[in-house]
Amino acid sequence: MLSNQAAREIVLGSLGIHQPIDSIDKALDTLHLFQIDSVNVFARAHLMPAFSRVGNYELEEFEAKAFGAGSAPSYREYWAHCAALIKPQDWDLFEFRRNEYRSRERIKELLSPSHKLAGWIKAELANNGPMTIAQFEHDANKRTGNWWGWSEVKTILERLHFAGEVVSAGRTNFSRLYALPEQVAMPRLEISETEQKLELMRRSAKALGLATEGEIADYFRFYKTEARPYIKQLVESGELVEARVEGWAETAYALPETLENPRELDYARPLRLFNPFDPLTWHRDRTRRIFDFDYMIEIYTPEPKRKYGYYTLPILYKDRLVGRVDLKHDRKSGELRVLSLWKELWVSKQLEKEMAPHLQAELELAMNWVGAEKLIPPSRGNWPL
């Protein structure tokens, strides 16, 4: 049986944490996706996983790779976990999902020649090339109270995007450029539906290091019952092995090489900040079980009822999650404001003192990364700077 300590180290190494990852591409190769989110109070979610692993990379480089900067982007967008950035060569691993979506009656209706608005949208893209939602001039492109205020045109575009009938050609000011598939170069693979799903299970298990059946399924948004036969097949073929972990009620699964040759952790940058949508923390029960860290985003909690802050970032020190910080990048004043800073109750004064220079260094690194010029100490919390 593996100790929880050993499990934590395996998980961190597999997720590329405390590893020699020195580029955005290597971070994406390790995780296979960057979850996209629009909240920009500090930095958008898709920017953070590479920062947590690489450090102070150029935001302009990420923008060009992810969304294009006067040219086609290097990455593609699809619903891999939630809305996410993936490598182009991974596009066909989700063809089964697009096929399932195309089989729905609502989508069949959109793909029918009789659906005039969907036909008009495709004709506009064919005639004009990639377009943002604002560039579609139609009475049906007016915001409503439903679908997050989406217009009928936006709703159809998003459904066509999920079905692969429309793809993303990048973004302009974070507004997606919609395009027809033939307008965006996409490597194609001849791979069956079964092999698509098996490969996603392999990748999930490799990235997570050690994971339960449900956690492997969740990485690429499968239902557990849907993932189960594929996990079983990988176990039977020897590509996955079962493991027991101290304190885990369920069986864990891992690649044999993960257990045989666990990655050594390098604590040269011992303290790091993470985003709520990083694979390290996005599964709340897993985070609680492995790190004894109870984490919740409080965006949707009314302000008077928030305990820690609007959008707190978990803080990792070596192999433990030790606290959380609520950051705000005030772009007008050039300040990075530490709105609140909290340590876990078990953190001793000695450990707090040990972490202090590393916390200061990480916050300064974050300040420089987002382009702020001044770091404002916390006004709330139990962890002074």
Side-chain angles (χ1 to χ4, degrees):
M1 177 177 285
L2 288 167
S3 68
N4 200 49
Q5 170 74 25
R8 279 201 307 270
E9 293 177 1
I10 288 171
V11 166
L12 291 171
S14 298
L15 286 169
I17 301 164
H18 301 313
Q19 296 297 303
I21 294 180
D22 58 5
S23 71
I24 302 165
D25 283 345
K26 286 182 181 178
L28 185 53
D29 285 339
T30 300
L31 302 176
H32 307 297
L33 60 89
F34 294 145
Q35 184 174 332
I36 298 172
D37 190 75
S38 61
V39 176
N40 199 25
V41 63
F42 165 57
R44 288 191 170 108
H46 43 277
L47 302 172
M48 281 290 294
F51 171 74
S52 300
R53 290 156 180 81
V54 178
N56 188 3
Y57 68 83
E58 294 292 332
L59 288 168
E60 292 80 6
E61 179 188 2
F62 190 102
E63 183 70 20
K65 286 178 176 292
F67 305 125
S71 60
S74 302
Y75 303 153
R76 297 292 180 265
E77 290 187 38
Y78 194 62
W79 199 270
H81 177 75
C82 294
L85 293 163
I86 60 174
K87 289 289 185 74
Q89 54 267 35
D90 293 345
W91 176 259
D92 273 359
L93 292 177
F94 300 94
E95 187 64 17
F96 74 92
R97 189 159 288 164
R98 292 186 285 274
N99 285 335
E100 289 171 0
Y101 204 62
R102 291 184 197 114
S103 70
R104 298 181 183 182
E105 289 303 318
R106 182 181 294 171
I107 303 306
K108 286 182 179 179
E109 181 184 345
L110 291 181
L111 300 180
S112 167
S114 63
H115 199 292
K116 293 184 180 180
L117 184 54
W120 177 84
I121 289 170
K122 287 186 174 182
E124 287 290 288
L125 292 173
N127 293 331
N128 302 323
M131 300 170 64
T132 65
I133 183 62
Q135 292 173 314
F136 287 89
E137 297 181 1
H138 196 286
D139 288 344
N141 195 17
K142 295 178 181 177
R143 295 174 68 88
T144 67
N146 300 319
W147 283 79
W148 301 282
W150 286 358
S151 68
E152 188 177 356
V153 170
K154 172 70 172 177
T155 300
I156 290 172
L157 279 165
E158 287 298 310
R159 287 173 175 165
L160 292 176
H161 180 258
F162 203 101
E165 299 295 319
V166 164
V167 299
S168 174
R171 292 190 179 223
T172 300
N173 297 325
F174 205 62
S175 180
R176 180 181 286 134
L177 278 165
Y178 297 94
L180 298 175
E182 57 267 26
Q183 294 170 333
V184 177
M186 202 82 73
R188 302 312 304 250
L189 304 172
E190 293 297 329
I191 182 170
S192 69
E193 177 178 323
T194 294
E195 188 51 44
Q196 290 167 38
K197 293 179 179 180
L198 285 171
E199 179 59 20
L200 291 174
M201 298 303 153
R202 292 185 192 103
R203 293 185 179 202
S204 173
K206 185 176 182 180
L208 291 172
L210 278 163
T212 65
E213 183 181 76
E215 291 157 4
I216 290 175
D218 178 69
Y219 201 92
F220 291 109
R221 279 297 195 258
F222 287 88
Y223 292 111
K224 184 159 63 172
T225 52
E226 183 184 9
R228 183 171 294 144
Y230 299 99
I231 294 172
K232 181 180 179 182
Q233 185 173 334
L234 292 173
V235 170
E236 290 173 347
S237 68
E239 294 182 76
L240 285 181
V241 294
E242 296 181 351
R244 301 296 299 178
V245 182
E246 174 191 1
W248 291 33
E250 295 183 51
T251 299
Y253 297 88
L255 273 62
E257 57 266 31
T258 299
L259 299 182
E260 293 165 4
N261 300 295
R263 299 181 185 184
E264 186 175 346
L265 303 183
D266 178 358
Y267 292 131
R269 181 185 162 200
L271 190 144
R272 302 178 185 225
L273 307 180
F274 287 84
N275 188 271
F277 304 117
D278 191 288
L280 177 69
T281 52
W282 70 26
H283 196 294
R284 309 306 184 218
D285 289 342
R286 174 179 169 87
T287 305
R288 189 180 302 110
R289 186 176 68 252
I290 297 175
F291 296 97
D292 192 23
F293 189 76
D294 196 7
Y295 178 69
M296 185 180 75
I297 306 173
E298 295 184 302
I299 288 177
Y300 304 110
T301 303
E303 187 171 359
K305 295 184 178 181
R306 289 178 194 147
K307 183 176 180 180
Y308 297 111
Y310 177 76
Y311 194 72
T312 56
L313 307 179
I315 302 171
L316 179 80
Y317 182 65
K318 295 186 177 179
D319 66 341
R320 298 296 302 273
L321 287 168
V322 296
R324 61 204 87 200
V325 61
D326 192 16
L327 296 177
K328 178 179 176 62
H329 179 198
D330 190 323
R331 292 158 179 84
K332 289 185 178 180
S333 67
E335 296 173 339
L336 179 61
R337 298 178 181 174
V338 183
L339 300 179
S340 69
L341 179 62
W342 304 86
K343 64 182 178 181
E344 292 294 276
L345 295 178
W346 58 264
V347 172
S348 66
K349 286 291 184 182
Q350 181 179 351
L351 181 57
E352 182 183 336
K353 184 177 180 181
E354 177 186 321
M355 293 190 295
H358 303 296
L359 175 61
Q360 184 71 32
E362 184 71 7
L363 290 173
E364 289 178 1
L365 185 71
M367 176 187 72
N368 293 328
W369 174 58
V370 298
E373 297 173 352
K374 187 177 181 181
L375 183 66
I376 306 299
S379 55
R380 291 182 61 237
N382 63 357
W383 193 354
L385 274 178

